[in-house]
Amino acid sequence: MEKTLLIYNTLTRQKEAFKPINPGHVGMYVCGPTVYGDAHLGHARPAITFDILFRYLKHLGYKVRYVRNITDVGHLEHDADEGEDKIAKKARLEQLEPMEIAQYYTRRFNSAMEKLNVLPPSIEPHATGHIIEQQQLVQQILDNGYAYVSNGSVYFDIEKYNKDYKYGILSGRTLENLKDASRDTLAGVGEKKNQADFALWKKAQPEHIMRWPSPWSDGFPGWHCECTAMGRKYLGDEFDIHGGGMDLVFPHHECEIAQAQASMGHQAVRYWMHNNMITINGQKMGKSYNNFITLDQFFKGEHELLSKPFSPMTIRFFILSAHYRGTVDFSSEALEAAEKGFARLMQGLKDLKRIQVAKGSSPEVEKFVKELPEKLYDAMNDDLQTPIVISELFEACHQVNLLVDRKAKISAADLEKLSETMHLFTEDILGLTNANPNGNGSSEKDKALDKVMQMVLDMRAKAKAEKNWAVSDQIRDELNEAGIIIKDTPDGTVWEI
């Protein structure tokens, strides 16, 4: 299925054919979490979105270096240049070292990602581990005349930069827009030439715990520096894809573009990709809005907006049911629908084993099996249309049901092809699997459960053969109470959770 992958480039505001800078290799950088609290559904969306891209690029044969950072310094409150560092504030409130906070929430973030079956990135650099690279970036920008030192802090000179380049090419904002917006809100901040200028290095106040020596002051890097510096370090002066949530387009990614051009004379990134937001009642889900539900709360069902616990795979399915550039409005009802959809898909994969092969396939089955891979690849190549992929897989499940009920026929070769296609797109590309459905199991545990269930079903079959209907019904009823449904079919007894 050699067709071109199209991806939507936020910079050009159109879909473009993906052509990597170095043939056969892809460099991809995605903004990771600021680790001062538990990951919520809003964090899951970019992680899953770019996990899909990572999986698909690898499936297409590319060697992918995927960098996703951990922000553990420099991200101040309200994404501005004033206020406390978010991690330092959490550390002060909990009377812990900032690195204790960062380490604790980094571990919890990675644990949640593992439950969601998000593959780990190739490299996961920390901002605190790259202070030198960030200082070098700041010095380059100063040397090129696009920054200035003020009272020990270093600020990016947007007005000077705007004369040589164009600030706002990603977000569509202009310098005049920024001046108008900042005139009232930032009046009285006297260190900057222009209130729209952003910090590259901040001088630490006496009470500020996280600080490093620099040529300008003891201080810490501005939030925007880390991704520019670490992207360049691990992916080079130019790389293919930079991703993140749409809320990062401005100011974070806009400032990254400015930093790259001011330091190197050219942009670093070819394709900018952004996922849309998760909303609750139409408002963005986020810590700053205090309307978020953590992933742990989803898994345990411990929130007033949740009707029950939801497995990580249900969360993953829910996110993939919408295109990554569309908004997703959370509700417990929507998650319940996703739970049923995921169960239907898993049952379809399981039922493949129950199909009886025939000498030849029915014409409609032969046609479906032949066309399915192309439809799935077309959907993925069209800017990762995962809802269409799921829809096509549901149609495959419908075909499986017809074949199980012997309302159609399939040859051994076509069944093998159908099974291979369904497993490939469900498990390998979408990352949806029953191997670890609740985030606390393993494929080994699943194998053990299969073995135990087979023993139980054999006991029930023996009871039925001996016409011991009481024992047979008791086994069925007790399994039902435990959430396991068994069905007697012409091909034997099957079960599902």
Side-chain angles (χ1 to χ4, degrees), residues 376-407:
L376 293 168
Y377 278 109
D378 284 349
M380 286 300 296
N381 287 334
D382 184 17
D383 195 32
L384 311 180
Q385 287 283 357
T386 56
I388 296 176
V389 173
I390 290 171
S391 173
E392 295 294 348
L393 289 170
F394 277 163
E395 182 55 37
C397 291
H398 173 66
Q399 294 293 325
V400 169
N401 287 339
L402 293 176
L403 292 164
V404 167
D405 293 340
R406 300 184 184 180
K407 294 177 180 174

Side-chain angles (χ1 to χ4, degrees), residues 17 33 103 107 115 145 154 181 193 233 270 280 305 346 350 354 359-360 386 417 451 453 496:
Q103 186 70 19
R107 279 199 306 266
K115 290 173 183 175
V154 183
K193 288 181 183 178
K233 179 178 177 70
R270 183 171 286 190
I280 295 183
L305 294 177
M346 291 301 105
K350 199 172 179 180
R354 297 171 51 206
K359 288 182 179 179
T386 56
K417 188 176 179 183
K451 195 168 184 180
M453 280 302 302
E496 63 179 312

